[in-house]
Amino acid sequence: MASLSIGEFATACGLTPKALRLYDELGLLPPARVDALTGYRHYDTAQLDRARLIAWLRGIGMPLARIRLVCDLPSGAAVQEIATYWKQVEADLTARRETVSFILDRLSGGDDDNSVGHTSVRLHSAVALDRGLVRTLNQDAAHAAAVLFAVADGFGLPENDTDDADDADGRDGGHPLPSAADAALRALRHTASAVPPAQLTTTLTAAFHSARAAVREFAASAPTASTSSISDIGTTLTALLWSGADFAIAHVGDSRAYLMRDGELSRLTQDHTYVRSLVEEGRLTPAEAETHPDRTRLLRALHAEADAEPDLHLRRARPGDRYLLCTDGIHAVVRGLEAVLTEAEPQEVVERLVAEARAAGAPDNLACVVIDVHGLH
């Protein structure tokens, strides 16, 4: 078998000598032989296929950890893994493309910065909140009014010993039980307001920071279980702030925003979870992630000891669009979201989502908001 120097091998496979040294240190592509006296690396021609695959995958931006997995898979499984990775890339590019289109449109001079709601639409919405069938306390929250729509999934408060006094919405005597989610949405409502399109992101970012401060304040005074601390109290947050047909999304955690457009459902947000990081690193498949025991473990959320910043996107809606915001009490258990979202009216949709979740056992609290976009005639 022919032996190549590191320079010859680099030329043949398209990787630089520097990259080859790094991949040797990582164990991704060790040389066939290292000269004991000079330390020179020598490679066999049989290693060229693996090296070229690594070069190609690096060229499309795949992380090294995931490349290692692909290289060690049989060819059929490797093909599937690469296709899965690229679907994730395309989803991210779609989100960025919408924001880029928005920016280009604004820079072209087509919008009036001083006009609130420059493209008029009518928003029709419905909201549902349910404790589920297992939890004794509802820590989820939702808001749907005027230009602001949001859901939040609170966590960290000790569960009650009994739920005799609580109704299905997780309310006691008609009053919302306090949670970090409630605190976040209260602050969000007080800060967010009708603004021109050019101020959507700055206004929503400021509102998000107010929500983060409110969660810290709530955690400092909230009751904790004997084995927990205030750092365990927090919430996810997914919010839409509208100005006419334009809106900004602020998102942190594993609640989600979806868009139903022309009969096709797409996800607008990405989960900030441990299992998603494992999928991106190639250590889990998306199917395995759905049943992983740590699937609810968050890497980013609003809580007392973190300065979490949101994913922030700009979008332009079209008449006929339908948007869904929901906590994982919905998206983790309801199968066939696309079919449910074809219901005639937003109120029917949220009622069906709650019914589907409860039919599936509703192991968690759940909150959802559905928003329909109508043109003005």
Side-chain angles (χ1 to χ4, degrees), residues 102 105-106 111-112 115 117-121 123 147 195-198 200 240-249 313-318 373:
F102 183 97
D105 188 39
R106 295 209 32 79
D111 292 333
D112 179 3
S115 171
H118 67 289
T119 303
S120 296
V121 295
L123 303 178
V147 295
V195 293
L200 278 171
L240 274 57
L241 180 65
W242 291 72
S243 179
D246 298 328
F247 65 93
I249 305 172
H313 302 290
L314 286 166
R315 292 269 181 159
R316 175 157 292 169
R318 302 176 189 169
V373 181

PDB file of all heavy atoms in Angstrom, residues 102 105-106 111-112 115 117-121 123 147 195-198 200 240-249 313-318 373:
ATOM      1  N   PHE A 102     -36.691  40.672   5.038  1.00  0.00           N
ATOM      2  CA  PHE A 102     -37.254  41.800   5.759  1.00  0.00           C
ATOM      3  C   PHE A 102     -36.281  42.982   5.737  1.00  0.00           C
ATOM      4  O   PHE A 102     -36.649  44.114   5.445  1.00  0.00           O
ATOM      5  CB  PHE A 102     -37.558  41.385   7.191  1.00  0.00           C
ATOM      6  CG  PHE A 102     -38.205  42.463   8.021  1.00  0.00           C
ATOM      7  CD1 PHE A 102     -39.579  42.503   8.179  1.00  0.00           C
ATOM      8  CD2 PHE A 102     -37.435  43.431   8.660  1.00  0.00           C
ATOM      9  CE1 PHE A 102     -40.176  43.485   8.959  1.00  0.00           C
ATOM     10  CE2 PHE A 102     -38.019  44.419   9.428  1.00  0.00           C
ATOM     11  CZ  PHE A 102     -39.400  44.450   9.576  1.00  0.00           C
ATOM     12  N   ASP A 105     -35.910  44.549   2.254  1.00  0.00           N
ATOM     13  CA  ASP A 105     -37.098  45.317   1.916  1.00  0.00           C
ATOM     14  C   ASP A 105     -37.071  46.672   2.599  1.00  0.00           C
ATOM     15  O   ASP A 105     -37.412  47.697   2.009  1.00  0.00           O
ATOM     16  CB  ASP A 105     -38.340  44.526   2.316  1.00  0.00           C
ATOM     17  CG  ASP A 105     -39.617  45.184   1.808  1.00  0.00           C
ATOM     18  OD1 ASP A 105     -39.598  45.697   0.667  1.00  0.00           O
ATOM     19  OD2 ASP A 105     -40.613  45.179   2.532  1.00  0.00           O
ATOM     20  N   ARG A 106     -36.647  46.675   3.862  1.00  0.00           N
ATOM     21  CA  ARG A 106     -36.591  47.933   4.597  1.00  0.00           C
ATOM     22  C   ARG A 106     -35.515  48.850   4.045  1.00  0.00           C
ATOM     23  O   ARG A 106     -35.725  50.047   3.905  1.00  0.00           O
ATOM     24  CB  ARG A 106     -36.350  47.667   6.080  1.00  0.00           C
ATOM     25  CG  ARG A 106     -37.517  46.932   6.720  1.00  0.00           C
ATOM     26  CD  ARG A 106     -37.702  47.210   8.170  1.00  0.00           C
ATOM     27  NE  ARG A 106     -37.317  48.552   8.571  1.00  0.00           N
ATOM     28  CZ  ARG A 106     -38.049  49.638   8.388  1.00  0.00           C
ATOM     29  NH1 ARG A 106     -39.202  49.563   7.761  1.00  0.00           N
ATOM     30  NH2 ARG A 106     -37.631  50.802   8.804  1.00  0.00           N
ATOM     31  N   ASP A 111     -40.503  50.826   2.976  1.00  0.00           N
ATOM     32  CA  ASP A 111     -41.302  50.998   4.191  1.00  0.00           C
ATOM     33  C   ASP A 111     -41.118  52.386   4.769  1.00  0.00           C
ATOM     34  O   ASP A 111     -40.064  53.006   4.651  1.00  0.00           O
ATOM     35  CB  ASP A 111     -40.897  49.967   5.247  1.00  0.00           C
ATOM     36  CG  ASP A 111     -41.271  48.563   4.829  1.00  0.00           C
ATOM     37  OD1 ASP A 111     -42.233  48.426   4.057  1.00  0.00           O
ATOM     38  OD2 ASP A 111     -40.597  47.625   5.277  1.00  0.00           O
ATOM     39  N   ASP A 112     -42.128  52.859   5.437  1.00  0.00           N
ATOM     40  CA  ASP A 112     -42.091  54.137   6.130  1.00  0.00           C
ATOM     41  C   ASP A 112     -41.808  53.891   7.604  1.00  0.00           C
ATOM     42  O   ASP A 112     -42.636  53.340   8.315  1.00  0.00           O
ATOM     43  CB  ASP A 112     -43.424  54.854   5.961  1.00  0.00           C
ATOM     44  CG  ASP A 112     -43.454  56.201   6.689  1.00  0.00           C
ATOM     45  OD1 ASP A 112     -42.423  56.587   7.267  1.00  0.00           O
ATOM     46  OD2 ASP A 112     -44.524  56.845   6.659  1.00  0.00           O
ATOM     47  N   SER A 115     -44.401  54.871  10.286  1.00  0.00           N
ATOM     48  CA  SER A 115     -45.774  54.365  10.191  1.00  0.00           C
ATOM     49  C   SER A 115     -45.940  53.135  11.056  1.00  0.00           C
ATOM     50  O   SER A 115     -45.308  52.120  10.826  1.00  0.00           O
ATOM     51  CB  SER A 115     -46.096  54.019   8.734  1.00  0.00           C
ATOM     52  OG  SER A 115     -47.327  53.346   8.648  1.00  0.00           O
ATOM     53  N   GLY A 117     -47.804  49.934  11.882  1.00  0.00           N
ATOM     54  CA  GLY A 117     -48.717  49.080  11.136  1.00  0.00           C
ATOM     55  C   GLY A 117     -48.806  49.494   9.683  1.00  0.00           C
ATOM     56  O   GLY A 117     -49.897  49.693   9.156  1.00  0.00           O
ATOM     57  N   HIS A 118     -47.664  49.670   9.001  1.00  0.00           N
ATOM     58  CA  HIS A 118     -47.623  50.208   7.648  1.00  0.00           C
ATOM     59  C   HIS A 118     -48.390  49.344   6.657  1.00  0.00           C
ATOM     60  O   HIS A 118     -48.947  49.856   5.696  1.00  0.00           O
ATOM     61  CB  HIS A 118     -46.177  50.349   7.198  1.00  0.00           C
ATOM     62  CG  HIS A 118     -45.472  49.039   7.037  1.00  0.00           C
ATOM     63  ND1 HIS A 118     -45.118  48.275   8.118  1.00  0.00           N
ATOM     64  CD2 HIS A 118     -45.110  48.353   5.930  1.00  0.00           C
ATOM     65  CE1 HIS A 118     -44.531  47.165   7.674  1.00  0.00           C
ATOM     66  NE2 HIS A 118     -44.522  47.196   6.362  1.00  0.00           N
ATOM     67  N   THR A 119     -48.415  48.024   6.859  1.00  0.00           N
ATOM     68  CA  THR A 119     -49.225  47.122   6.049  1.00  0.00           C
ATOM     69  C   THR A 119     -50.314  46.571   6.957  1.00  0.00           C
ATOM     70  O   THR A 119     -50.031  45.808   7.865  1.00  0.00           O
ATOM     71  CB  THR A 119     -48.375  45.970   5.481  1.00  0.00           C
ATOM     72  OG1 THR A 119     -47.300  46.525   4.717  1.00  0.00           O
ATOM     73  CG2 THR A 119     -49.221  45.070   4.593  1.00  0.00           C
ATOM     74  N   SER A 120     -51.534  46.964   6.694  1.00  0.00           N
ATOM     75  CA  SER A 120     -52.606  46.634   7.627  1.00  0.00           C
ATOM     76  C   SER A 120     -53.079  45.200   7.448  1.00  0.00           C
ATOM     77  O   SER A 120     -53.306  44.747   6.319  1.00  0.00           O
ATOM     78  CB  SER A 120     -53.779  47.594   7.435  1.00  0.00           C
ATOM     79  OG  SER A 120     -53.391  48.912   7.758  1.00  0.00           O
ATOM     80  N   VAL A 121     -53.206  44.506   8.550  1.00  0.00           N
ATOM     81  CA  VAL A 121     -53.814  43.179   8.583  1.00  0.00           C
ATOM     82  C   VAL A 121     -54.686  43.106   9.835  1.00  0.00           C
ATOM     83  O   VAL A 121     -54.573  43.927  10.740  1.00  0.00           O
ATOM     84  CB  VAL A 121     -52.755  42.045   8.623  1.00  0.00           C
ATOM     85  CG1 VAL A 121     -51.942  42.011   7.342  1.00  0.00           C
ATOM     86  CG2 VAL A 121     -51.867  42.166   9.857  1.00  0.00           C
ATOM     87  N   LEU A 123     -55.684  40.518  12.936  1.00  0.00           N
ATOM     88  CA  LEU A 123     -55.262  39.301  13.618  1.00  0.00           C
ATOM     89  C   LEU A 123     -56.416  38.751  14.440  1.00  0.00           C
ATOM     90  O   LEU A 123     -57.040  39.475  15.216  1.00  0.00           O
ATOM     91  CB  LEU A 123     -54.057  39.579  14.535  1.00  0.00           C
ATOM     92  CG  LEU A 123     -52.821  40.181  13.858  1.00  0.00           C
ATOM     93  CD1 LEU A 123     -51.734  40.448  14.902  1.00  0.00           C
ATOM     94  CD2 LEU A 123     -52.300  39.282  12.760  1.00  0.00           C
ATOM     95  N   VAL A 147     -51.147  43.463  19.935  1.00  0.00           N
ATOM     96  CA  VAL A 147     -49.973  43.205  19.089  1.00  0.00           C
ATOM     97  C   VAL A 147     -49.011  42.203  19.719  1.00  0.00           C
ATOM     98  O   VAL A 147     -47.960  41.918  19.136  1.00  0.00           O
ATOM     99  CB  VAL A 147     -49.212  44.519  18.801  1.00  0.00           C
ATOM    100  CG1 VAL A 147     -50.075  45.460  17.980  1.00  0.00           C
ATOM    101  CG2 VAL A 147     -48.754  45.192  20.101  1.00  0.00           C
ATOM    102  N   VAL A 195     -45.533  49.710  17.988  1.00  0.00           N
ATOM    103  CA  VAL A 195     -44.375  50.467  17.525  1.00  0.00           C
ATOM    104  C   VAL A 195     -44.297  50.376  16.003  1.00  0.00           C
ATOM    105  O   VAL A 195     -44.897  49.491  15.389  1.00  0.00           O
ATOM    106  CB  VAL A 195     -43.063  49.918  18.135  1.00  0.00           C
ATOM    107  CG1 VAL A 195     -43.021  50.145  19.626  1.00  0.00           C
ATOM    108  CG2 VAL A 195     -42.877  48.444  17.789  1.00  0.00           C
ATOM    109  N   PRO A 196     -43.537  51.274  15.346  1.00  0.00           N
ATOM    110  CA  PRO A 196     -43.281  51.128  13.917  1.00  0.00           C
ATOM    111  C   PRO A 196     -42.465  49.867  13.652  1.00  0.00           C
ATOM    112  O   PRO A 196     -41.765  49.368  14.548  1.00  0.00           O
ATOM    113  CB  PRO A 196     -42.467  52.385  13.571  1.00  0.00           C
ATOM    114  CG  PRO A 196     -42.709  53.333  14.688  1.00  0.00           C
ATOM    115  CD  PRO A 196     -42.934  52.496  15.900  1.00  0.00           C
ATOM    116  N   PRO A 197     -42.503  49.328  12.438  1.00  0.00           N
ATOM    117  CA  PRO A 197     -41.741  48.120  12.129  1.00  0.00           C
ATOM    118  C   PRO A 197     -40.258  48.227  12.458  1.00  0.00           C
ATOM    119  O   PRO A 197     -39.647  47.256  12.910  1.00  0.00           O
ATOM    120  CB  PRO A 197     -41.966  47.939  10.625  1.00  0.00           C
ATOM    121  CG  PRO A 197     -43.267  48.604  10.358  1.00  0.00           C
ATOM    122  CD  PRO A 197     -43.336  49.771  11.298  1.00  0.00           C
ATOM    123  N   ALA A 198     -39.668  49.403  12.258  1.00  0.00           N
ATOM    124  CA  ALA A 198     -38.238  49.563  12.502  1.00  0.00           C
ATOM    125  C   ALA A 198     -37.864  49.387  13.964  1.00  0.00           C
ATOM    126  O   ALA A 198     -36.707  49.155  14.289  1.00  0.00           O
ATOM    127  CB  ALA A 198     -37.774  50.937  12.015  1.00  0.00           C
ATOM    128  N   LEU A 200     -39.397  47.101  16.071  1.00  0.00           N
ATOM    129  CA  LEU A 200     -39.885  45.827  16.594  1.00  0.00           C
ATOM    130  C   LEU A 200     -38.835  45.101  17.419  1.00  0.00           C
ATOM    131  O   LEU A 200     -39.101  44.658  18.538  1.00  0.00           O
ATOM    132  CB  LEU A 200     -40.351  44.932  15.443  1.00  0.00           C
ATOM    133  CG  LEU A 200     -41.756  45.184  14.896  1.00  0.00           C
ATOM    134  CD1 LEU A 200     -41.987  44.368  13.635  1.00  0.00           C
ATOM    135  CD2 LEU A 200     -42.806  44.830  15.950  1.00  0.00           C
ATOM    136  N   LEU A 240     -44.280  36.883  20.155  1.00  0.00           N
ATOM    137  CA  LEU A 240     -44.399  37.571  18.878  1.00  0.00           C
ATOM    138  C   LEU A 240     -44.935  38.974  19.129  1.00  0.00           C
ATOM    139  O   LEU A 240     -45.967  39.139  19.793  1.00  0.00           O
ATOM    140  CB  LEU A 240     -45.367  36.839  17.936  1.00  0.00           C
ATOM    141  CG  LEU A 240     -44.848  35.701  17.060  1.00  0.00           C
ATOM    142  CD1 LEU A 240     -44.200  34.599  17.889  1.00  0.00           C
ATOM    143  CD2 LEU A 240     -45.984  35.141  16.203  1.00  0.00           C
ATOM    144  N   LEU A 241     -44.239  39.981  18.601  1.00  0.00           N
ATOM    145  CA  LEU A 241     -44.696  41.369  18.679  1.00  0.00           C
ATOM    146  C   LEU A 241     -44.933  41.853  17.258  1.00  0.00           C
ATOM    147  O   LEU A 241     -44.035  41.792  16.420  1.00  0.00           O
ATOM    148  CB  LEU A 241     -43.652  42.246  19.383  1.00  0.00           C
ATOM    149  CG  LEU A 241     -44.012  43.725  19.516  1.00  0.00           C
ATOM    150  CD1 LEU A 241     -45.223  43.918  20.418  1.00  0.00           C
ATOM    151  CD2 LEU A 241     -42.815  44.530  20.061  1.00  0.00           C
ATOM    152  N   TRP A 242     -46.144  42.368  16.995  1.00  0.00           N
ATOM    153  CA  TRP A 242     -46.561  42.688  15.634  1.00  0.00           C
ATOM    154  C   TRP A 242     -46.602  44.195  15.390  1.00  0.00           C
ATOM    155  O   TRP A 242     -46.911  44.980  16.283  1.00  0.00           O
ATOM    156  CB  TRP A 242     -47.959  42.131  15.369  1.00  0.00           C
ATOM    157  CG  TRP A 242     -47.999  40.636  15.312  1.00  0.00           C
ATOM    158  CD1 TRP A 242     -47.868  39.769  16.353  1.00  0.00           C
ATOM    159  CD2 TRP A 242     -48.181  39.824  14.140  1.00  0.00           C
ATOM    160  NE1 TRP A 242     -47.953  38.470  15.908  1.00  0.00           N
ATOM    161  CE2 TRP A 242     -48.153  38.478  14.559  1.00  0.00           C
ATOM    162  CE3 TRP A 242     -48.386  40.121  12.792  1.00  0.00           C
ATOM    163  CZ2 TRP A 242     -48.309  37.423  13.662  1.00  0.00           C
ATOM    164  CZ3 TRP A 242     -48.545  39.071  11.897  1.00  0.00           C
ATOM    165  CH2 TRP A 242     -48.497  37.743  12.326  1.00  0.00           C
ATOM    166  N   SER A 243     -46.332  44.557  14.138  1.00  0.00           N
ATOM    167  CA  SER A 243     -46.559  45.906  13.637  1.00  0.00           C
ATOM    168  C   SER A 243     -47.093  45.752  12.222  1.00  0.00           C
ATOM    169  O   SER A 243     -46.339  45.506  11.282  1.00  0.00           O
ATOM    170  CB  SER A 243     -45.271  46.727  13.641  1.00  0.00           C
ATOM    171  OG  SER A 243     -45.502  48.026  13.141  1.00  0.00           O
ATOM    172  N   GLY A 244     -48.397  45.856  12.083  1.00  0.00           N
ATOM    173  CA  GLY A 244     -48.992  45.550  10.798  1.00  0.00           C
ATOM    174  C   GLY A 244     -48.762  44.095  10.449  1.00  0.00           C
ATOM    175  O   GLY A 244     -48.990  43.201  11.252  1.00  0.00           O
ATOM    176  N   ALA A 245     -48.262  43.840   9.232  1.00  0.00           N
ATOM    177  CA  ALA A 245     -47.978  42.470   8.802  1.00  0.00           C
ATOM    178  C   ALA A 245     -46.600  42.008   9.228  1.00  0.00           C
ATOM    179  O   ALA A 245     -46.240  40.845   9.023  1.00  0.00           O
ATOM    180  CB  ALA A 245     -48.105  42.358   7.284  1.00  0.00           C
ATOM    181  N   ASP A 246     -45.802  42.899   9.799  1.00  0.00           N
ATOM    182  CA  ASP A 246     -44.454  42.539  10.250  1.00  0.00           C
ATOM    183  C   ASP A 246     -44.478  42.153  11.722  1.00  0.00           C
ATOM    184  O   ASP A 246     -45.242  42.711  12.507  1.00  0.00           O
ATOM    185  CB  ASP A 246     -43.491  43.717  10.058  1.00  0.00           C
ATOM    186  CG  ASP A 246     -43.340  44.111   8.606  1.00  0.00           C
ATOM    187  OD1 ASP A 246     -43.439  43.216   7.740  1.00  0.00           O
ATOM    188  OD2 ASP A 246     -43.153  45.315   8.336  1.00  0.00           O
ATOM    189  N   PHE A 247     -43.627  41.213  12.092  1.00  0.00           N
ATOM    190  CA  PHE A 247     -43.527  40.868  13.501  1.00  0.00           C
ATOM    191  C   PHE A 247     -42.131  40.364  13.826  1.00  0.00           C
ATOM    192  O   PHE A 247     -41.384  39.904  12.956  1.00  0.00           O
ATOM    193  CB  PHE A 247     -44.573  39.819  13.905  1.00  0.00           C
ATOM    194  CG  PHE A 247     -44.417  38.467  13.254  1.00  0.00           C
ATOM    195  CD1 PHE A 247     -43.694  37.445  13.852  1.00  0.00           C
ATOM    196  CD2 PHE A 247     -45.017  38.207  12.028  1.00  0.00           C
ATOM    197  CE1 PHE A 247     -43.564  36.201  13.263  1.00  0.00           C
ATOM    198  CE2 PHE A 247     -44.905  36.956  11.425  1.00  0.00           C
ATOM    199  CZ  PHE A 247     -44.173  35.956  12.043  1.00  0.00           C
ATOM    200  N   ALA A 248     -41.777  40.487  15.095  1.00  0.00           N
ATOM    201  CA  ALA A 248     -40.509  39.967  15.607  1.00  0.00           C
ATOM    202  C   ALA A 248     -40.809  38.794  16.527  1.00  0.00           C
ATOM    203  O   ALA A 248     -41.822  38.785  17.234  1.00  0.00           O
ATOM    204  CB  ALA A 248     -39.751  41.053  16.366  1.00  0.00           C
ATOM    205  N   ILE A 249     -39.921  37.808  16.508  1.00  0.00           N
ATOM    206  CA  ILE A 249     -40.008  36.650  17.401  1.00  0.00           C
ATOM    207  C   ILE A 249     -38.844  36.715  18.373  1.00  0.00           C
ATOM    208  O   ILE A 249     -37.688  36.866  17.959  1.00  0.00           O
ATOM    209  CB  ILE A 249     -39.911  35.320  16.623  1.00  0.00           C
ATOM    210  CG1 ILE A 249     -40.946  35.238  15.520  1.00  0.00           C
ATOM    211  CG2 ILE A 249     -40.035  34.135  17.572  1.00  0.00           C
ATOM    212  CD1 ILE A 249     -40.766  34.024  14.613  1.00  0.00           C
ATOM    213  N   HIS A 313     -35.837  36.960  15.555  1.00  0.00           N
ATOM    214  CA  HIS A 313     -36.048  36.926  14.110  1.00  0.00           C
ATOM    215  C   HIS A 313     -37.095  37.952  13.720  1.00  0.00           C
ATOM    216  O   HIS A 313     -37.992  38.284  14.513  1.00  0.00           O
ATOM    217  CB  HIS A 313     -36.536  35.546  13.652  1.00  0.00           C
ATOM    218  CG  HIS A 313     -35.615  34.430  13.992  1.00  0.00           C
ATOM    219  ND1 HIS A 313     -34.390  34.248  13.382  1.00  0.00           N
ATOM    220  CD2 HIS A 313     -35.729  33.418  14.884  1.00  0.00           C
ATOM    221  CE1 HIS A 313     -33.799  33.184  13.871  1.00  0.00           C
ATOM    222  NE2 HIS A 313     -34.592  32.671  14.804  1.00  0.00           N
ATOM    223  N   LEU A 314     -36.988  38.449  12.493  1.00  0.00           N
ATOM    224  CA  LEU A 314     -38.002  39.315  11.909  1.00  0.00           C
ATOM    225  C   LEU A 314     -38.717  38.552  10.804  1.00  0.00           C
ATOM    226  O   LEU A 314     -38.082  37.832  10.021  1.00  0.00           O
ATOM    227  CB  LEU A 314     -37.368  40.577  11.328  1.00  0.00           C
ATOM    228  CG  LEU A 314     -36.898  41.624  12.337  1.00  0.00           C
ATOM    229  CD1 LEU A 314     -36.005  42.637  11.646  1.00  0.00           C
ATOM    230  CD2 LEU A 314     -38.083  42.313  12.982  1.00  0.00           C
ATOM    231  N   ARG A 315     -40.024  38.741  10.718  1.00  0.00           N
ATOM    232  CA  ARG A 315     -40.825  38.044   9.708  1.00  0.00           C
ATOM    233  C   ARG A 315     -41.872  38.989   9.138  1.00  0.00           C
ATOM    234  O   ARG A 315     -42.245  39.983   9.760  1.00  0.00           O
ATOM    235  CB  ARG A 315     -41.545  36.844  10.334  1.00  0.00           C
ATOM    236  CG  ARG A 315     -40.628  35.721  10.765  1.00  0.00           C
ATOM    237  CD  ARG A 315     -40.460  34.746   9.646  1.00  0.00           C
ATOM    238  NE  ARG A 315     -39.604  33.644  10.020  1.00  0.00           N
ATOM    239  CZ  ARG A 315     -39.604  32.481   9.403  1.00  0.00           C
ATOM    240  NH1 ARG A 315     -40.427  32.256   8.405  1.00  0.00           N
ATOM    241  NH2 ARG A 315     -38.769  31.532   9.760  1.00  0.00           N
ATOM    242  N   ARG A 316     -42.354  38.627   7.953  1.00  0.00           N
ATOM    243  CA  ARG A 316     -43.489  39.327   7.362  1.00  0.00           C
ATOM    244  C   ARG A 316     -44.579  38.312   7.088  1.00  0.00           C
ATOM    245  O   ARG A 316     -44.357  37.320   6.384  1.00  0.00           O
ATOM    246  CB  ARG A 316     -43.078  40.043   6.081  1.00  0.00           C
ATOM    247  CG  ARG A 316     -44.240  40.687   5.338  1.00  0.00           C
ATOM    248  CD  ARG A 316     -43.775  41.805   4.441  1.00  0.00           C
ATOM    249  NE  ARG A 316     -43.290  42.928   5.230  1.00  0.00           N
ATOM    250  CZ  ARG A 316     -42.628  43.960   4.714  1.00  0.00           C
ATOM    251  NH1 ARG A 316     -42.371  43.995   3.426  1.00  0.00           N
ATOM    252  NH2 ARG A 316     -42.222  44.952   5.490  1.00  0.00           N
ATOM    253  N   ALA A 317     -45.757  38.541   7.653  1.00  0.00           N
ATOM    254  CA  ALA A 317     -46.868  37.611   7.496  1.00  0.00           C
ATOM    255  C   ALA A 317     -47.628  37.892   6.206  1.00  0.00           C
ATOM    256  O   ALA A 317     -47.531  38.975   5.620  1.00  0.00           O
ATOM    257  CB  ALA A 317     -47.812  37.725   8.689  1.00  0.00           C
ATOM    258  N   ARG A 318     -48.385  36.882   5.792  1.00  0.00           N
ATOM    259  CA  ARG A 318     -49.262  37.020   4.630  1.00  0.00           C
ATOM    260  C   ARG A 318     -50.698  36.714   5.074  1.00  0.00           C
ATOM    261  O   ARG A 318     -50.908  35.872   5.951  1.00  0.00           O
ATOM    262  CB  ARG A 318     -48.892  36.024   3.529  1.00  0.00           C
ATOM    263  CG  ARG A 318     -47.482  36.110   3.018  1.00  0.00           C
ATOM    264  CD  ARG A 318     -47.281  34.996   2.011  1.00  0.00           C
ATOM    265  NE  ARG A 318     -45.890  34.851   1.602  1.00  0.00           N
ATOM    266  CZ  ARG A 318     -45.424  33.829   0.891  1.00  0.00           C
ATOM    267  NH1 ARG A 318     -46.265  32.851   0.530  1.00  0.00           N
ATOM    268  NH2 ARG A 318     -44.165  33.768   0.553  1.00  0.00           N
ATOM    269  N   VAL A 373     -54.059  35.380  10.328  1.00  0.00           N
ATOM    270  CA  VAL A 373     -53.790  36.662   9.678  1.00  0.00           C
ATOM    271  C   VAL A 373     -54.791  36.860   8.542  1.00  0.00           C
ATOM    272  O   VAL A 373     -54.877  36.034   7.634  1.00  0.00           O
ATOM    273  CB  VAL A 373     -52.353  36.715   9.140  1.00  0.00           C
ATOM    274  CG1 VAL A 373     -52.080  38.078   8.496  1.00  0.00           C
ATOM    275  CG2 VAL A 373     -51.351  36.431  10.241  1.00  0.00           C
TER     276      VAL A 373
END
